[in-house]
């Protein structure tokens, strides 16, 4: 498939492809949700702990076009924790409808106008606790996105991406604050020269009880192209553990730029072994 630049009055004049979001920052809220609840729950996981998760996310946005486009995201996640180290694999199934297609890492792609669906890109991540001092902690994370999505269906760029980020935590009683700062290297499809943007998140999580937490996060990412716009979106979430090994998370998303969805809702169910 030949990638061509097309403006069409869109915020990300990319090709004829989040984040990314973010969730630009690319589904960034989902990662922040799980991490915040973990910290609120009492710190590092037990050695040799495996967690399997799945759920759905629905987003809708115009992305600078006249009519809204919609995306369904069904992730399958395996997470393994051993001491200070964490490893995670995510493989989603995608269903995009409309004139714009948005990848899970936040790349906005001019779509076919119809419905395209299939497997998304495989994302592998490895994290390590770098510093712990009392109720303050810093984690380092590296992520690698492998192009398993079909670019001819506008489900991915067809290129490999990678990123580095640091998460800083501070727990203050029932309140936990999180700050994330990262940098991402995007692979460039033919005819496209992506910038390698900085991204950041700022969030607060409140532990209401031993089983329930609520929180709010804001995700931001620099523009991908000279004529593009920044990603800016907020997420409100609720996390509930009906059993020690089960966790349910529900969330809602509000976008504040044309590179973000106008709205979104999602749910994630996790089982720890």
């Amino acid at each position: 498939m030949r990638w061509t630049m097309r403006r069409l009055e869109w915020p990300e004049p990319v090709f004829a492809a989040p984040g990314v979001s973010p969730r630009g920052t690319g589904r960034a809220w989902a990662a922040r949700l799980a991490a915040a609840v973990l910290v609120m729950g009492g710190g590092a996981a037990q050695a040799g702990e495996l967690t399997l998760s799945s759920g759905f996310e629905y987003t809708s946005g115009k992305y600078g076009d006249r009519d809204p486009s919609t995306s369904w995201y069904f992730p399958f996640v395996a997470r393994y924790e051993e001491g200070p180290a964490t490893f995670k694999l995510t493989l989603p199934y995608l269903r995009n409808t409309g004139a714009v297609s948005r990848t899970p890492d936040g790349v906005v792609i001019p779509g076919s106008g119809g419905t395209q669906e299939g497997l998304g890109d495989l994302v592998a991540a490895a994290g390590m606790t770098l510093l712990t001092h009392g109720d303050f902690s810093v984690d380092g994370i590296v992520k690698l996105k492998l192009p398993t999505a079909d670019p001819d269906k506008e489900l991915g760029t067809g290129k490999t991406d990678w990123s580095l980020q640091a998460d800083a935590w501070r727990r203050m009683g029932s309140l936990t604050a999180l700050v994330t700062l990262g940098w991402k290297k995007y692979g460039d499809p033919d005819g496209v020269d992506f910038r390698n943007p900085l991204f950041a998140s700022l969030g607060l999580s409140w532990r209401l009880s031993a089983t329930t937490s609520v929180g709010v996060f804001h995700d931001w990412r620099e523009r991908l192209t000279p004529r593009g716009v920044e990603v800016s979106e907020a997420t409100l979430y609720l996390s509930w553990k009906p059993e020690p090994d089960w966790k349910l998370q529900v969330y809602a998303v509000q976008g504040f730029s044309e590179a973000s969805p106008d709205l979104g809702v999602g749910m994630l169910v996790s089982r720890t072994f």
Side-chain angles (χ1 to χ4, degrees):
M1 179 177 181
R2 173 67 179 177
W3 301 90
T4 56
M5 299 288 286
R6 298 173 59 191
R7 175 58 181 170
L8 300 181
E9 305 302 324
W10 292 353
E12 290 288 343
V14 283
F15 31 87
V20 234
S21 165
R23 101 213 260 299
T25 51
R27 314 281 168 193
W29 50 75
R32 301 289 78 74
L33 300 183
V37 174
L38 174 63
V39 169
M40 295 303 294
Q46 298 177 0
E49 190 171 270
L50 174 66
T51 301
L52 301 179
S53 305
S54 190
F56 77 90
E57 178 183 284
Y58 169 82
T59 56
S60 176
K62 294 183 178 179
Y63 309 106
D65 195 37
R66 294 185 302 273
D67 300 314
S69 297
T70 62
S71 296
W72 286 93
Y73 170 82
F74 303 96
F76 302 92
V77 185
R79 177 188 179 104
Y80 181 77
E81 297 180 67
E82 181 75 38
T86 301
F87 306 93
K88 186 168 71 170
L89 288 175
T90 303
L91 182 64
Y93 189 86
L94 309 176
R95 179 181 172 88
N96 297 330
T97 301
V100 178
S101 181
R102 191 172 190 267
T103 68
D105 59 345
V107 178
V108 177
I109 301 173
S112 63
T115 297
Q116 299 284 359
E117 60 183 295
L119 289 177
D121 291 320
L122 175 67
V123 179
M128 178 71 70
T129 299
L130 303 178
L131 172 67
T132 299
H133 181 72
D135 292 330
F136 178 75
S137 181
V138 177
D139 298 337
I141 302 170
V142 59
K143 295 182 181 180
L144 176 67
K145 188 210 78 175
L146 300 176
T148 53
D150 188 348
D152 292 332
K153 292 184 176 181
E154 298 101 31
L155 299 176
T157 65
K159 300 297 179 179
T160 300
D161 309 329
W162 61 274
S163 66
L164 298 171
Q165 73 183 65
D167 292 346
W169 311 87
R170 176 65 188 274
R171 184 163 52 188
M172 300 160 285
S174 61
L175 178 68
T176 295
L178 162 70
V179 176
T180 292
L181 181 63
W183 175 86
K184 186 162 187 174
K185 169 62 178 176
Y186 279 91
D188 295 329
D190 293 341
V192 181
D193 185 15
F194 282 143
R195 294 180 173 180
N196 301 318
L198 294 173
F199 60 89
S201 298
L202 178 64
L204 292 172
S205 181
W206 293 268
R207 188 175 185 182
L208 302 180
S209 69
T211 60
T212 306
S213 297
V214 297
V216 61
F217 292 86
H218 184 269
D219 292 313
W220 168 87
R221 188 205 65 198
E222 288 185 312
R223 65 184 65 185
L224 287 182
T225 63
R227 291 186 297 159
V229 298
E230 298 174 347
V231 165
S232 179
E233 53 202 49
T235 302
L236 180 67
Y237 85 91
L238 168 69
S239 177
W240 176 53
K241 296 187 71 172
E243 299 290 341
D245 295 333
W246 287 91
K247 181 165 59 182
L248 171 67
Q249 297 170 344
V250 294
Y251 58 92
V253 181
Q254 173 68 59
F256 302 107
S257 77
E258 289 188 342
S260 297
D262 295 330
L263 58 90
V265 293
M267 179 185 73
L268 192 69
V269 178
S270 302
R271 171 73 160 91
T272 299
F273 300 90

